[in-house]
Amino acid sequence: MPRSTATCAASQCSPLTSIPRATVVRAQAAIDAATDDIVGLFENRVTEQKTPGTFFAVFGPDGIVLERGFGEKVLGDETAPDRDTVFRIASCTKSFTCTMLLMLRDRGQLNLDAPITDFVPAFRPLAPEAAPVTPSVRMLMTMSAGFPTDNPWGDRMEEMTRAELDEFVAKGIRYSSTPGTRFEYSNLGYALLNEVIAEVTGRSYVDAVTAGILEPLGLTSTRFDEDPDADVALGYRLANGEWQVQPFTLPGVFSAMGGLFSTATDLVRWSLWLASALDPEINSGGPLSVASRRELQQIQRAVPEGMSKVAEFAEPTAHGYGYGLFIDEGTTKIVSHSGGYPGFSAHMRWHAPTGLGIVAFENGTFAASSIPATQALQAALSAYGELTTPTPAWPETLAARDVLDGLIRDWDTPTAEAVAAVNLAMDVPYEERIAGIAKAIADVGPLTGAPLKELPRELADTPAVTNWTIDGERGRIKCHVLMSPELPPRVQTFTVTTESD
């Protein structure tokens, strides 16, 4: 298959001006040199059943240089996705949310250090009991509000209404750490930021972002609902070797954490507009100043090693979260964010010093398009010439572990339902879980009856996480649990894998 080297016109893909010609030429030469390696990272994604369809676009400072699609955007139509195919971009939305918040800050309409109760009065802090701490807007933006990680649960919450959010937070939110003290990825935090934008602007979050960001930047294919006239990819989940269509959700308060649909054409334009702020030789306008866009892409909260995959560079890097973006810094700088939703995976990534970047989209649940995208950008860049005690688990986490340990030995669906979060059976039906446990037991041999063995906690483990093993005659079953942020916490993730002796 011949490769594509067509470069997108700046008017189509990039809102930038005054790009030095030497920068453009060198970036394109690096991509040309790495083309075979880059294409090879994506061409087997479909045959390996990572996803029904995949598309990537590698860009230089003036737009798309290399692009390719494989598989099908809608199973049965035999058409591969292209640069104008619409995908859910999920958590890549967070950078749009934070851009809107910085715009309001710059206008003097918002204090980022104001407590969330100024905008969501129903929010009730619970810890520490002696002097409860209320998260600020900035803490929510930088994933340091103290809420536990909530990806599976949060992915199912998009359509929650403002009234339902008020009712939810009024009951209390369980903290996994004191607000403002550590990083932990939270979609709930961004749902609360939805309310900040709505309260300050006097219009819905969707309308505010559309009018304030999407329209001024000409992101005409980026929106918060499915466009019936657009070329939209369907999302799928692999179950028992078959791809199952996943329904689209409608906008709600959780849209601020992951509600956008977009295309490679638009997401490259967005990435270039953000990246341009990091290059003093490029002039670019838009609704947010260059200074504030640079602020968006600075580490605001360090991410402890092991909590998120750091880009693969030879030299050590600092890894952290800015405002809606991950940043790796060392002798170089990478800015990125992934998006994962039921049926979709997206990733955007750029390297400001060279002007190189990539966006990638796949229409499979848990496809992890970030993996080939990270490796692809590294290929282009190559061509371009602790003493901390892990946090103990919550009592509720350990209680859930004991219940689930018993269910592996003797399944009972009502007992499982009593500890399950709303997403658990939606993500993987109980029938599939029962079959998976039976297969795991068959793989390791009859269970010995020995008590569970708690695995040593790691720095990345939050109070909402625990891992343990169950011995069989020929190996062991490894079990993992992640609790939801509600009160009381419930099981949002439960997985089993096996190890042979």
Side-chain angles (χ1 to χ4, degrees):
M1 179 183 294
R3 65 183 177 84
S4 168
T5 56
T7 302
C8 207
S11 61
Q12 294 175 308
C13 293
S14 170
L16 313 183
T17 59
S18 304
I19 303 169
R21 181 62 184 165
T23 301
V24 173
V25 170
R26 189 173 178 189
Q28 179 151 353
I31 295 169
D32 287 346
T35 289
D36 290 343
D37 290 338
I38 293 170
V39 172
L41 291 166
F42 287 90
E43 61 185 350
N44 294 323
R45 298 286 289 175
V46 174
T47 57
E48 293 173 354
Q49 286 198 307
K50 302 293 186 184
T51 178
T54 184
F55 181 81
F56 72 88
V58 183
F59 57 90
D62 67 337
I64 296 172
V65 175
L66 172 69
E67 59 188 294
R68 192 67 54 80
F70 300 99
E72 297 174 282
K73 55 194 173 188
V74 177
L75 285 177
D77 75 354
E78 299 182 354
T79 304
D82 58 34
R83 67 167 63 175
D84 294 318
T85 300
V86 176
F87 288 82
R88 297 300 302 256
I89 65 169
S91 288
C92 294
T93 305
K94 290 181 171 71
S95 57
F96 292 79
T97 299
C98 287
T99 294
M100 189 74 226
L101 290 162
L102 290 184
M103 288 166 58
L104 296 175
R105 189 274 312 271
D106 290 354
R107 295 172 188 167
Q109 295 177 268
L110 175 63
N111 176 6
L112 298 187
D113 295 312
I116 189 58
T117 46
D118 283 3
F119 312 95
V120 186
F123 183 91
R124 183 163 65 94
L126 296 176
E129 292 183 4
V133 177
T134 302
S136 68
V137 173
R138 191 187 307 273
M139 292 174 192
L140 296 165
M141 294 169 69
T142 58
M143 302 294 185
S144 54
F147 305 151
T149 299
D150 59 357
N151 282 327
W153 174 83
D155 288 347
R156 302 292 184 173
M157 295 292 113
E158 184 180 1
E159 296 179 357
M160 182 182 284
T161 66
R162 300 183 71 181
E164 289 169 341
L165 179 65
D166 279 348
E167 182 179 358
F168 181 85
V169 299
K171 296 176 182 177
I173 302 300
R174 186 65 183 266
Y175 293 145
S176 59
S177 61
T178 302
T181 63
R182 60 170 289 167
F183 172 91
E184 189 164 356
Y185 195 88
S186 172
N187 291 304
L188 173 60
Y190 273 68
L192 293 169
L193 292 174
N194 182 106
E195 294 302 272
V196 174
I197 292 171
E199 286 296 313
V200 172
T201 63
R203 60 199 312 185
S204 73
Y205 164 84
V206 170
D207 288 346
V209 171
T210 299
I213 299 174
L214 305 184
E215 292 175 355
L217 288 179
L219 303 178
T220 56
S221 297
T222 304
R223 52 190 291 162
F224 287 94
D225 56 5
E226 181 187 1
D227 182 353
D229 298 322
D231 178 22
V232 181
L234 293 184
Y236 298 88
R237 183 179 78 90
L238 188 64
N240 299 319
E242 301 291 333
W243 290 109
Q244 299 178 349
V245 176
Q246 301 297 289
F248 289 125
T249 50
L250 298 174
V253 293
F254 272 76
S255 292
M257 66 89 174
L260 279 173
F261 292 74
S262 193
T263 64
T265 298
D266 273 11
L267 202 59
V268 166
R269 187 178 180 88
W270 174 249
S271 300
L272 284 168
W273 180 68
L274 292 178
S276 68
L278 301 172
D279 189 336
E281 295 188 73
I282 296 176
N283 298 317
S284 60
L288 186 65
S289 71
V290 168
S292 290
R293 272 180 278 152
R294 284 197 297 267
E295 181 183 356
L296 196 81
Q297 299 170 80
Q298 304 303 313
I299 292 177
Q300 307 291 336
R301 176 63 59 177
V303 177
E305 184 178 356
M307 291 192 74
S308 183
K309 180 176 173 56
V310 179
E312 297 172 0
F313 290 105
E315 77 277 5
T317 61
H319 186 55
Y321 204 75
Y323 293 131
L325 293 164
F326 283 100
I327 297 99
D328 291 294
E329 288 189 348
T331 58
T332 188
K333 184 185 184 94
I334 292 283
V335 181
S336 68
H337 213 288
S338 293
Y341 240 29
F344 292 95
S345 175
H347 189 74
M348 58 183 185
R349 187 176 202 85
W350 55 88
H351 179 255
T354 61
L356 292 168
I358 186 170
V359 298
F361 306 86
E362 295 183 330
N363 56 340
T365 300
F366 305 134
S369 59
S370 60
I371 295 174
T374 297
Q375 295 169 341
L377 181 57
Q378 186 57 43
L381 291 173
S382 296
Y384 196 93
E386 153 187 23
L387 300 174
T388 302
T389 303
T391 306
W394 289 331
E396 295 93 338
T397 307
L398 299 179
R401 174 206 63 189
D402 292 341
V403 171
L404 293 167
D405 181 76
L407 290 175
I408 290 175
R409 302 167 195 268
D410 185 13
W411 184 269
D412 178 67
T413 296
T415 300
E417 190 64 22
V419 298
V422 65
N423 66 280
L424 195 68
M426 296 172 68
D427 291 348
V428 180
Y430 288 130
E431 293 79 8
E432 288 184 38
R433 293 185 183 275
I434 293 168
I437 290 170
K439 183 179 184 303
I441 293 173
D443 289 344
V444 304
L447 302 183
T448 65
L452 66 86
K453 295 179 181 178
E454 187 79 9
L455 294 177
R457 294 186 66 78
E458 299 179 355
L459 181 61
D461 291 338
T462 75
V465 169
T466 192
N467 301 278
W468 73 98
T469 62
I470 302 172
D471 287 341
E473 292 183 357
R474 298 188 301 274
R476 66 206 57 81
I477 298 174
K478 294 184 66 177
C479 309
H480 168 77
V481 159
L482 171 64
M483 307 297 285
S484 69
E486 57 200 306
L487 192 68
R490 302 174 71 83
V491 177
Q492 62 170 316
T493 299
F494 173 43
T495 61
V496 297
T497 57
T498 59
E499 285 183 343
S500 299
D501 288 333

